[in-house]
Amino acid sequence: MVEKDHFRQVLQHSPFHDRIEEHNLIKNWMSWNGYQTARVLDTLSAEYFAIRSGCSVMDLTPMEKYRITGPDSLAFLNRLVARDLSKLKPNRVTYVVWCNDDGKVLDDGTIFHLGDAGYRLCSQHHQLDWLLISSQGFDVEIAEETHEVAALAVQGPTSCAVLRAAGIDGLDQLKPFGIQYTQLLGFEVMVSRTGYTGDLGYEVWTEPRHAVDLWDAIFATKHRGLYDVRVIGLDALEMVRIEAGFIMPGDDFITAETAVRADHDRSPFELGVGWTVNLDKPYFTGKGALIKEKSSAIKRRLVKLVVEGNKPPVDSFLYDAMKGKRIGTIKSQTWSPILKANLAMADIDYINGKAPREIWAEIYYQKELTWHATWARTTVSEKPFWSHPRKSATPPGPY
Amino acid sequence: MANNRGKKYDAIVIGAGHNGLTNAAFLAKAGLDVLVLEKNEYIGGATVSRELHEGWKYSNCSYVCSLFRPEIYQALDLGRHGLEVIPLQGSTTFMQNGDYFGSYHQPTVRRREIARHSKRDADAAIRFDADLMKWCRLIRGFLLRTPPNPASLKPRDAWEFAYLVKQFYGLSESQIYEFIRFFTMSIAEYLEEYFESDVILAHFSGGSIIGTGLGVYSPGTAYVLLHHAMGDVDGNIGSWGFSRGGMGAIAKSIAASFSSFGGEIRTAAEVRQIRVAGRRAVGVVLVSGEEIDASVVVSNLDAKRTFLGVMDPKDLPEDLLHRAENFKIRGSSGKVNIALDGLPNMTALPQGSPLTRGHMHFTDTLERLERGYDDWKDNRWSADPYVDALIPSQFDPTLAPPGKHMMSVFVQYCPYDVEGGWSDEKRDAFGATVIDQIAQYSPDFKSMILHTEVRTPLELENEVGLTEGNIFQGELTLDQLMFNRPFPGYAQYRGPVKNMYLCSSSTHPGGGVMGAPGANSAREILKDLRRLNTVPADFGDD
Ligand SMILES: Cc1cc2nc3c(=O)[nH]c(=O)nc-3n(C[C@H](O)[C@H](O)[C@H](O)COP(=O)(O)OP(=O)(O)OC[C@H]3O[C@@H](n4cnc5c(N)ncnc54)[C@H](O)[C@@H]3O)c2cc1C
């Protein structure tokens, strides 16, 4: 229940807020979905390496969550998303995108099959209106449950060991995209082997009233001197999600619902997530448009680019040759400390259905407030920039 | 009175409304010798602020600013001539059940407040905002342009048509169909495609009936919403602001800019007629009998008053007279300006709510809004009126003494032809209806009232010269917009005789404190005179 005087506190607090605030040494907050969320808590590089070489913890509560229940849940979701969900088993999770009738992407997210408890859809943006519009004619209940579920992302090579030491049992056999329930200190937690880091990692879900106990159990492993565990902010997450090759709706592309200018929206094929589109399954929203699109050469793509050198290609224009024709722009980018390379997501025009043979970035950078311009060759990477066998090893190793 | 006998001006502008002043300023900037003639003792027309109660300044007609083109602001250097437009904060609809809906200025809080009434509507608002922005972008591209003349074969009109088509085809095919629907729908039907909550439907439809002789269920009202959403304050499209010192400060700053280019303004100088010789305008004759010569005569009056008032019917083509007689210009709005002894307590709002600093409305369902319209059709003012109340003295210290306040209340609907005709008693009864509406939500409001100015459409007509008191100088319906404004064939600011022009809100892009009609008209005049153009092009894609 929202109180009438909610204007007094603009950004909401998640149930983990008090704990995070203790760790947030530089008080660098931002809004994520209306929640007060840390951008960086201490130093960015320490947070990045917590994800890649230790154990990181991040509050996932602000992520938009919906519960879908009722006899037509599967039929409804299968009509909503481009992927075929009919084979999604209970206690499994899958990545999906969904489109409007023009086959343009509205958002991406994950669907959790919770067995008798229905399905959970997690999304980047607010989707209740679209879910309700799309559910006409289906016998389903759709409820937004963002604030009713507290969740932590626990990610990194020691994440399994940390959770085990915290008292969460039975993770050995949990495979990627699997869900498992367990008791911790007398309350129920749900653990899914999912994440946005491309590394070994878990998401731990519980009721808000148990949030602090869950947090304390995880950090007790650090206080006991067993493992280093570090809270991370959204800036570190941004680095690893680019390394892992995950797209970010709203940053890498404008979602179809919010696109104002014509031709600014994007199809799943144009975003490089065509692998989640199943044109053989029964009708789903956007299918007709996507079949039509598939029959002609693709016009543009969001691609993963490795940019040579070490100058950050922030907002750079891209060209088909050094000083050649302009063919696109960088949407997001990061320096990868583990690969020692500039990685980027870029929207580029294709020629006859193919990427231009060469792609060059024009980079503006400054040293001591003096600006310089330089050119860097780039290469398209079809695979995630970074991946590690430990991500999917079952049982996971200790580090 | 200056002795002008024998002197011939390059241009005379009749009326010192903000469009007349804008027009005059661009002509003077181009080096013309320009005289503005105003019937009142003060300038500004409907963009005016006057002290009617000692220590209090009212914005007697218009009260908030958003439509005024920043290109004009920049080109006439209005900031240095004293203009400051401060963004205002949010809006509220008070509900009969004691609750309220606040459209806060802070986006996160706004979203949560919509969700307080309907979680679904909070998400639908994202779709609504994006869709409205599509139409805003399209229409904004036309504001500082002269509409093409569809009946002409001139190359320039062909170019303008090409621009129009290009703007249009910047939309996808389905967006074009949506746009046509949008122009012809009622606001109620349009909003119901997005929202479910009664109070949210009522809140967002308010801007669609302001100034119109239409109700929330009348086709065409969806466009009026756009007319109120297409402006901006510093690039925030749809935002509204206060002009420090009241709306009169806008007219004053334009007048100061005009004077800096050597322009001359004469108040208390009512024009009786535009003099025409050999099918050319040659000057004007004042009510006083004084004749003044000019090479160009521009009218800032509405289309009816221009053609049926200050022109000799013998100088006009028959079809134009006919069109002018049938021009839709129905008065439907009133205004109550109030001097307050303190800040009234709005009981529904928590202590310290920022919502007192924004618009306040008191009609929480579409049905109540439609019933208010029914009264108007029956020649009565709304018994349960839609009001737009604001207390700008909360952050503008020039409007009232410290600790005291000024409230501006715009009222919809109030008829021009009230049953049995207007009298002082009826005008006061109308004012009392409005005050009662607000007092229902603020027990101490009435006891704080020190002075009120009540204006029905009749007062607006008599003082500002707005025919029937129509605030936009003519309805904003598709048959009177773009190349149809005011009439087909006369939308390019040129009158029926040579050297005579229109520059008022009766021309494209229409009413509101926008300056665009005045600026567009100046561009056409300078083109005809083969003078350097001083009127800026729009800033482009936004
Ligand atoms: C009550 C009310 C509230 C409004 N609220 C808003 C608002 O909040 N925001 C907004 O953007 N718009 C608002 N508007 C609309 C806006 O004020 C008008 O559309 C705009 O000011 C019109 O400007 P104009 O220069 O075209 O004409 P006018 O302001 O009508 O100017 C015409 C001038 O001509 C003069 N005149 C008339 N006859 C003669 C004559 N024979 N000789 C010499 N002079 C003559 C008049 O006295 C007047 O000064 C409101 C209007 C009203 C009436």
Side-chain angles (χ1 to χ4, degrees), chain B residues 128-423:
Chain B
F128 175 74
D129 287 348
D131 286 351
L132 193 60
M133 188 59 80
K134 285 174 198 156
W135 315 141
C136 281
R137 280 194 69 243
L138 188 72
I139 206 86
R140 282 164 65 91
F142 291 108
L143 297 179
L144 280 180
R145 302 182 82 98
T146 297
N149 181 359
S152 135
L153 288 168
K154 281 191 216 141
R156 144 146 194 268
D157 289 306
W159 275 113
E160 282 298 310
F161 244 142
Y163 175 81
L164 195 147
V165 168
K166 186 168 160 283
Q167 284 295 98
F168 227 67
Y169 281 88
L171 304 174
S172 70
E173 200 181 331
S174 58
Q175 284 176 337
I176 293 172
Y177 299 136
E178 283 298 320
F179 190 63
I180 292 166
R181 281 182 76 232
F182 178 77
F183 253 96
T184 50
M185 279 176 94
S186 78
I187 187 62
E189 290 162 331
Y190 186 69
L191 291 174
E192 279 166 352
E193 294 190 351
Y194 298 88
F195 302 109
E196 61 181 15
S197 149
D198 284 339
V199 66
I200 286 165
L201 286 165
H203 185 87
F204 289 140
S205 63
S208 287
I209 53 168
I210 285 185
T212 72
L214 300 168
V216 288
Y217 286 100
S218 313
T221 40
Y223 168 74
V224 186
L225 178 76
L226 181 57
H227 200 85
H228 285 98
M230 68 192 184
D232 66 296
V233 179
D234 297 319
N236 291 312
I237 297 178
S239 290
W240 286 81
F242 286 121
S243 151
R244 192 176 198 261
M247 293 298 276
I250 298 177
K252 278 194 193 144
S253 68
I254 306 170
S257 175
F258 173 53
S259 303
S260 77
F261 300 122
E264 192 184 327
I265 300 173
R266 272 174 67 186
T267 52
E270 181 168 353
V271 170
R272 191 169 67 213
Q273 204 162 63
I274 297 176
R275 289 157 44 226
V276 175
R279 301 210 51 72
R280 281 167 189 273
V282 294
V284 298
V285 54
L286 303 186
V287 168
S288 65
E290 184 186 348
E291 295 195 355
I292 311 175
D293 299 335
S295 310
V296 161
V297 179
V298 191
S299 172
N300 178 207
L301 318 190
D302 67 52
K304 256 202 167 99
R305 205 154 275 254
T306 300
F307 298 120
L308 307 177
V310 296
M311 289 199 80
D312 185 338
K314 290 196 284 297
D315 293 328
L316 300 178
E318 212 53 54
D319 76 314
L320 183 64
L321 273 173
H322 186 66
R323 296 238 193 226
E325 273 158 9
N326 289 305
F327 189 57
K328 260 192 307 185
I329 185 161
R330 306 169 290 201
S332 63
S333 319
K335 185 89 198 285
V336 182
N337 297 308
I338 307 172
L340 291 168
D341 202 21
L343 192 65
N345 174 30
M346 307 307 296
T347 9
L349 297 180
Q351 194 67 34
S353 171
L355 293 170
T356 61
R357 298 165 80 95
H359 303 260
M360 294 185 273
H361 314 292
F362 307 90
T363 328
D364 62 351
T365 64
L366 289 171
E367 190 186 332
R368 286 176 67 196
L369 290 166
E370 186 69 3
R371 297 245 178 272
Y373 177 52
D374 292 342
D375 289 338
W376 178 81
K377 283 183 287 182
D378 292 339
N379 294 334
R380 292 191 304 265
W381 62 82
S382 305
D384 176 16
Y386 169 80
V387 311
D388 183 15
L390 283 151
I391 313 177
S393 49
Q394 289 170 103
F395 39 94
D396 183 347
T398 69
L399 302 177
K404 316 282 179 196
H405 288 283
M406 189 280 276
M407 186 189 251
S408 156
V409 189
F410 181 88
V411 193
Q412 198 72 17
Y413 299 82
C414 186
Y416 175 69
D417 285 316
V418 80
E419 234 175 2
W422 282 105
S423 62

Side-chain angles (χ1 to χ4, degrees), chain B residues 14-20 37-40 44-47 60-65 67 240 247 269-271 300-301 305 310 334-335 410 460 463-466 471-473 503-505 511-513:
Chain B
I14 309 169
H18 82 287
N19 276 317
L37 296 170
E38 166 58 46
K39 79 171 169 65
N40 288 328
T47 312
N60 311 71
C61 296
S62 61
Y63 51 105
V64 279
C65 178
L67 301 171
W240 286 81
M247 293 298 276
E270 181 168 353
V271 170
N300 178 207
L301 318 190
R305 205 154 275 254
V310 296
K335 185 89 198 285
F410 181 88
L460 295 174
E463 289 176 31
V464 191
L466 295 164
I471 73 163
F472 294 131
Q473 290 198 356
C503 76
S504 70
S505 297
V513 180

Side-chain angles (χ1 to χ4, degrees), chain A residues 52-65:
Chain A
R52 285 284 175 251
S53 13
C55 179
S56 68
V57 172
M58 202 182 107
D59 182 7
L60 271 189
T61 311
M63 184 169 55
E64 201 70 22
K65 309 176 204 81

